[in-house]
Amino acid sequence: MAAALWTRRGRQTVTALVGGTRTSHSAVKSQYDALVIGGGHNGLVAAAYLQKGGLKTAVLERRHVLGGAAVSEEIFPGFHFSRCSYLLSLLRPHIYADLELKKHGLKVYMRDPHAFTPMLEEGLRGAPPRSLTLGSDLAMNQREIGKFSQKDAKAFPHFVAHLEKLAGAIHPLLDAPPVDIAGVTTGSLRKRLTAAKTVMPLVKCGMKLGRNIPDFYEIITAPIMKILNQWFESEPLRATLATDAVIGATTSPSNPGSGYVLLHHVMGELEKEKGAWGYVEGGMGGVSKAIASSARSHGADIFTEKDVDHVLVGSDGAAKGVVLKDGTEVHSKVVLSNATPYVTFKHLAPQGSLSPEFIKAVDQIDYTSPVTKINVAVDKLPNFLASPTPDGKPGPHHQCSIHLNCESVEVLETAYKEAMNGRPSTRPMLEMTIPSVLDHTLAPPGCHVVSLFTQFTPFHIEGKEWTDQDREAYADLAFDWVEQYAPGFKRSVVGTDILTPPDLERIFGLTGGNIFHGSMSLDQLYLARPLPSLSDYRSPIKGLYLCGSGCHPGGGVMGSSGWNAALTVMADLKRS
């Protein structure tokens, strides 16, 4: 393959996939009904629903490519990456259907099996090292788990059913704003009755849970290890399941609240299959491209390379539009921000329009992130000792989320503690995916794109900024660990794109590098996401709304924040 080795350290401009950057041919108009700051998937969802609802809407994206964190970019010639977000599952089915995303080009490759955890061990009597593979085939799962514990093999189907029941009960809460506490408790009887409707999703959730309410309370508050220890005894199974409780979160399996992160990651569905995750054809930018296409089909204007400087606030204290970095004013009745709450209120909103108390509260929102994403171009498929494929042809395990350094919970705990002391983990948790195994549009023939979603790395290394040497040293460390599971991996690398938490913040606008637009901890969920005073998508500035993952129901390529925000805006405009 290539003689040259490409290395990017989160600094250079890269090329977007063809079609992902197309903007409206017309110029930005001076007046709209609604403006959306940021072309992430939630902003695009909000724009599509606002435009469908009869409001002339424009989306203003800072970067050269749409999608926010859900983007596809050609980082190296011929290699197309889901540069940040990399899997699809949580996108709400009603949004998928309403916006006719399949008609607008969204194609998803289902993965089955979906999880592969190889062991670092010597195989017995010449046999390969053991591994754990999980998928939709219950009998296969039990055979795999039975290699480590027959007791766990019998318990696993009951655990999955239990988790599905708890996760399914959350769905009514995802598709509606949190309870309107102020409306229910104050004002006229008519106002209270109207606000009482917001209680219904909570009631539906409770009715779905029934006698499982105590179990639900336990899993959202407890450390995930307390739950997993009740069900299982084998270390590889517990560690594999624990990875979904810490993925993207600065927490360990023994920390309270890690159970909810697991629940958040199993409550999705794809092609009507619960808990399934898939690869989007062409990369995750395919989701954003389809949503943008749907929004445009209804008449929305969508622009890239339109960097908003600040929100315009009139003498009456209400949002009147935005001012771009080039000085252009664009007026509107309402403004929706798809940026993080921190960016929205510390950089875009005029500080004089917000109280010192409010700004202080915004400063307290937790955005810590443990993630460094490494995108890797390789000229041959990784060959794992635990499941050899010497002919270079993909095996079923290659389509999985491949969990490396995840065969024991102790390894995860140690990795977490090192980052808490200001240093990148010396044995990091690695989630590897190779989407080009199923989607051949992503890489040249015989080559592949590899995503390494790694934890735990701090925002600062012992209080200092990351240097290019630090980035390369960490990537080399990660590759050394991959090499132990799949010898020859390092020689196959022809390009790397290293995105530390500061890079994720600078490039994608993810404050702190946090992929969820804010921690998914219990103090920042539902009525308190991102703050108790902001949980209804409305800001202290009349006419300025939040529509990103920083508000309820939170992170993941879900679309619910955009949907809920759009409904809130339309209801407010109807009342006014």
Side-chain angles (χ1 to χ4, degrees):
M1 177 46 200
L5 176 66
W6 298 296
T7 301
R8 295 188 185 276
R9 308 176 187 89
R11 294 188 178 280
Q12 297 94 331
T13 300
V14 296
T15 305
L17 273 174
V18 174
T21 60
R22 185 176 69 83
T23 63
S24 296
H25 294 298
S26 58
V28 179
K29 298 179 177 68
S30 61
Q31 180 72 49
Y32 288 90
D33 294 322
L35 289 173
V36 179
I37 303 173
H41 82 279
N42 272 308
L44 295 170
V45 166
Y49 278 103
L50 290 170
Q51 189 67 48
K52 279 185 72 175
L55 299 176
K56 185 57 184 174
T57 304
V59 177
L60 305 171
E61 166 58 38
R62 170 182 58 89
R63 296 191 71 214
H64 63 288
V65 57
L66 289 173
V71 290
S72 301
E73 299 188 59
E74 185 178 9
I75 304 177
F76 313 109
F79 292 88
H80 304 286
F81 290 86
S82 295
R83 200 175 182 205
C84 193
S85 174
Y86 56 101
L87 284 168
L88 186 68
S89 172
L90 299 174
L91 185 64
R92 302 298 298 135
H94 72 91
I95 295 174
Y96 197 109
D98 286 352
L99 301 186
E100 301 180 291
L101 298 186
K102 193 170 285 189
K103 170 186 164 184
H104 287 281
L106 179 59
K107 181 178 178 181
V108 181
Y109 294 92
M110 302 292 287
R111 307 186 311 162
D112 194 21
H114 57 73
F116 173 63
T117 306
M119 305 290 112
L120 265 189
E121 62 183 15
E122 293 291 331
L124 297 176
R125 292 185 292 276
R130 293 174 300 168
S131 62
L132 175 65
T133 304
L134 300 174
S136 64
D137 185 328
L138 186 56
M140 183 206 77
N141 290 342
Q142 291 185 295
R143 285 194 303 272
E144 287 285 308
I145 296 167
K147 293 188 291 189
F148 303 95
S149 166
Q150 286 297 324
K151 178 185 172 187
D152 287 0
K154 291 177 183 177
F156 189 71
H158 303 289
F159 173 76
V160 171
H162 177 67
L163 219 55
E164 283 182 352
K165 180 159 189 177
L166 299 184
I170 296 177
H171 289 166
L173 302 182
L174 303 180
D175 299 327
V179 175
D180 181 1
I181 298 294
V184 171
T185 56
T186 59
S188 66
L189 178 61
R190 183 178 178 182
K191 183 182 175 183
R192 291 188 186 196
L193 289 173
T194 300
K197 294 176 184 176
T198 64
V199 180
M200 288 310 298
L202 207 56
V203 173
K204 288 179 183 176
C205 174
M207 291 178 69
K208 276 194 170 189
L209 286 169
R211 287 184 290 182
N212 292 109
I213 288 177
D215 298 319
F216 179 74
Y217 179 80
E218 181 183 42
I219 201 168
I220 66 172
T221 57
I224 192 57
M225 288 317 301
K226 178 182 178 184
I227 308 296
L228 295 178
N229 287 338
Q230 290 169 3
W231 284 90
F232 305 118
E233 63 183 11
S234 61
E235 197 63 15
L237 179 59
R238 289 189 299 192
T240 297
L241 296 173
T243 61
D244 272 343
V246 300
I247 195 81
T250 306
T251 190
S252 84
S254 61
N255 283 355
S258 53
Y260 177 77
V261 181
L262 171 65
L263 208 57
H264 187 81
H265 283 97
V266 301
M267 66 189 180
E269 66 178 76
L270 211 52
E271 303 290 339
K272 298 184 179 179
E273 185 181 328
K274 292 179 181 177
W277 292 77
Y279 297 122
V280 176
E281 184 173 76
M284 286 297 286
V287 181
S288 305
K289 184 180 173 184
I291 300 169
S293 176
S294 178
R296 288 191 188 100
S297 73
H298 293 287
D301 288 346
I302 300 176
F303 303 93
T304 55
E305 298 181 281
K306 299 296 180 187
D307 197 354
V308 174
D309 184 74
H310 64 271
V311 175
L312 266 176
V313 175
S315 57
D316 60 353
K320 302 296 183 185
V322 303
V323 179
L324 303 183
K325 287 280 171 103
D326 65 8
T328 303
E329 290 191 8
V330 189
H331 296 265
S332 62
K333 296 176 183 176
V334 293
V335 177
L336 292 82
S337 175
N338 192 188
T340 68
Y342 184 88
V343 170
T344 301
F345 297 115
K346 296 286 286 186
H347 297 299
L348 296 175
Q351 297 300 280
S353 300
L354 300 168
S355 70
E357 294 77 17
F358 177 79
I359 293 173
K360 185 177 181 180
V362 169
D363 283 333
Q364 303 310 307
I365 299 172
D366 179 13
Y367 290 100
T368 52
S369 167
V371 173
T372 287
K373 175 86 185 294
I374 308 176
N375 298 302
V376 192
V378 296
D379 62 11
K380 68 177 182 178
L381 193 66
N383 183 18
F384 292 92
L385 293 173
S387 189
T389 50
D391 58 1
K393 293 181 180 178
H397 60 289
H398 281 113
Q399 64 185 270
C400 296
S401 288
I402 301 166
H403 303 287
L404 307 180
N405 289 339
C406 298
E407 54 262 66
S408 110
V409 175
E410 184 181 354
V411 171
L412 305 182
E413 292 283 358
T414 301
Y416 167 75
K417 288 171 183 173
E418 286 178 325
M420 289 301 95
N421 288 323
R423 299 183 303 275
S425 306
T426 54
R427 188 177 178 183
M429 181 182 107
L430 307 174
E431 181 172 292
M432 172 191 279
T433 51
I434 316 172
S436 50
V437 165
L438 296 180
D439 180 3
H440 305 303
T441 69
L442 298 175
C447 300
H448 289 278
V449 294
V450 174
S451 163
L452 289 175
F453 196 82
T454 81
Q455 299 178 213
F456 294 79
T457 53
F459 194 88
H460 295 106
I461 299 179
E462 296 181 322
K464 298 177 183 177
E465 301 286 336
W466 283 76
T467 66
D468 288 343
Q469 289 176 320
D470 293 328
R471 288 178 177 85
E472 290 173 25
Y474 178 74
D476 199 51
L477 171 76
F479 294 169
D480 283 340
W481 282 108
V482 177
E483 184 79 13
Q484 293 198 44
Y485 293 90
F489 175 78
K490 291 189 77 171
R491 288 196 308 274
S492 74
V493 174
V494 295
T496 59
D497 173 46
I498 308 160
L499 300 170
T500 64
D503 299 320
L504 293 169
E505 177 178 90
R506 179 175 44 79
I507 296 170
F508 299 103
L510 299 170
T511 303
N514 190 286
I515 61 168
F516 301 127
H517 278 213
S519 169
M520 297 288 287
S521 52
L522 294 179
D523 61 323
Q524 290 183 188
L525 291 176
Y526 197 57
L527 284 168
R529 187 163 188 87
L531 294 169
S533 62
L534 289 174
S535 64
D536 62 358
Y537 311 96
R538 301 174 181 95
S539 82
I541 299 172
K542 185 179 179 182
L544 175 61
Y545 298 79
L546 292 175
C547 69
S549 295
C551 43
H552 172 75
V557 182
M558 190 184 305
S560 290
S561 298
W563 145 266
N564 287 330
L567 294 189
T568 300
V569 168
M570 288 189 284
D572 286 355
L573 289 176
K574 187 177 180 181
R575 277 195 294 269
S576 64

